[in-house]
Amino acid sequence: MQRTVIAVSTNPDFEQAFAEVTDKIKNECASPKLIMFFSEYNSFYMFATKLQEAFPNTVNIGSTSYINFSSAGYGHNSLAAMAINDGIEVGEGILFDISNFPMNYKRHIALALDKLSSFENTCCIEFCNSYTKGEELVLDTLNKYLSPKGIPCFGSSAGAELSEGSKSIVSLNGVCFQNTCVFVLIHNLNGKIGFVKENLYEKTTDKVFSATDVDVDNRIIYMLDNKPAADVLASALNVPLENLKDAIAENPLGRISKD
């Protein structure tokens, strides 16, 4: 049996997609310790609940994704899963109310740590809902209790469509949540986890602005170079103000850090 199995289906029929993914996991992964999965919003609840039914003794953690990339290609309507068969110990947990007080659920981190025999060669993977403005609070909370034990943390905000009112979902063991962080601690009994950090973005313009009026807590830029931010960006992109939203989606604004 394989230690790690990656299964992807782009079948538009949700039932068929689920069958294709679970059949591959069952055929190549005898009794998975952990399954991480990603799918688009409309099918996510079904995949989360059915994966838990198919693998009731497995820790299942998942997040919505606007687009999935894998060795099979990419797709918007797809289910992607990775199952780890052996060689690990797993401790899972949940932080609620991440937009305000995830620290209130620090006990859940302690309970997850108690499931591990050692903190050496251990990492934390977390998924949290997007549009909550809670990512920094989540990372502050996790790192406060994991960093002293030498446990690095990484993860992502759940993907969602780029449209008004878009929602995202995260799940743990078949239960779906919003305004929540789900996390799993992975302790390697053999082997190691390697971290590779890659910057996919390049500076493609000579247009640089100074943010002169901002609301840090709510992530709002009011003024650029002491002028209304929307006006400045619309002018820089040479689009009417009413078309700025679509133009920004194709021309994201980056922040220069230090030098």
Side-chain angles (χ1 to χ4, degrees):
M1 291 291 176
Q2 298 290 325
R3 183 184 181 195
T4 303
V5 174
I6 295 176
V8 181
S9 174
T10 57
N11 196 315
D13 184 297
F14 295 162
E15 294 284 353
Q16 288 295 320
F18 177 78
E20 291 172 9
V21 168
T22 52
D23 285 350
K24 180 172 183 180
I25 293 175
K26 289 178 178 178
N27 290 336
E28 300 183 22
C29 201
S31 180
K33 305 287 186 184
L34 172 67
I35 294 177
M36 291 183 287
F37 74 97
F38 307 87
S39 82
E40 54 89 28
Y41 183 89
N42 290 333
S43 58
F44 187 85
Y45 177 81
M46 185 202 79
F47 288 145
T49 54
K50 288 176 72 71
L51 271 172
Q52 188 62 28
E53 292 170 359
F55 302 96
N57 299 317
T58 300
V59 173
N60 290 288
I61 185 172
S63 127
T64 50
S65 177
Y66 178 62
I67 185 169
N68 281 331
F69 295 89
S70 73
S71 56
Y74 71 93
H76 288 285
N77 297 309
S78 60
L79 170 63
M82 182 176 77
I84 303 178
N85 193 46
D86 59 22
I88 62 170
E89 291 178 335
V90 177
E92 74 277 19
I94 302 172
L95 301 176
F96 297 108
D97 192 21
I98 61 174
S99 59
N100 295 299
F101 302 110
M103 190 71 75
N104 287 348
Y105 304 93
K106 60 187 178 183
R107 176 62 179 159
H108 296 183
I109 303 174
L111 291 173
L113 288 167
D114 287 343
K115 296 181 180 181
L116 307 180
S117 62
S118 170
F119 304 144
E120 187 178 359
N121 201 11
T122 298
C123 69
C124 173
I125 298 176
E126 59 85 17
F127 302 136
C128 60
N129 293 113
S130 49
Y131 307 119
T132 61
K133 303 176 184 175
E135 289 93 341
E136 290 87 355
L137 295 175
V138 164
L139 291 177
D140 285 348
T141 300
L142 289 170
N143 283 320
K144 179 175 181 178
Y145 296 96
L146 299 181
S147 290
K149 296 177 174 22
I151 300 175
C153 181
F154 63 99
S156 69
S157 299
E161 291 189 44
L162 298 175
S163 61
E164 196 72 31
S166 292
K167 296 180 179 179
S168 64
I169 311 174
V170 296
S171 74
L172 184 66
N173 296 335
V175 182
C176 295
F177 303 95
Q178 291 185 335
N179 198 25
T180 297
C181 166
V182 294
F183 66 91
V184 59
L185 306 178
I186 304 174
H187 168 54
N188 262 328
L189 300 174
N190 50 65
K192 287 180 181 269
I193 292 176
F195 291 87
V196 178
K197 182 178 180 180
E198 182 179 11
N199 185 2
L200 301 176
Y201 300 97
E202 295 181 357
K203 180 182 174 183
T204 58
T205 176
D206 59 358
K207 301 184 188 306
V208 179
F209 317 99
S210 294
T212 50
D213 186 7
V214 301
D215 180 344
V216 175
D217 290 339
N218 291 301
R219 303 180 181 179
I220 298 173
I221 301 175
Y222 291 110
M223 307 284 280
L224 292 172
D225 297 332
N226 296 310
K227 300 176 183 178
D231 293 341
V232 172
L233 293 177
S235 175
L237 294 171
N238 195 28
V239 297
L241 197 59
E242 58 269 22
N243 295 338
L244 179 60
K245 180 179 177 182
D246 292 336
I248 285 291
E250 299 296 328
N251 299 274
L253 188 68
R255 184 179 73 171
I256 298 174
S257 178
K258 297 181 180 179
D259 55 357

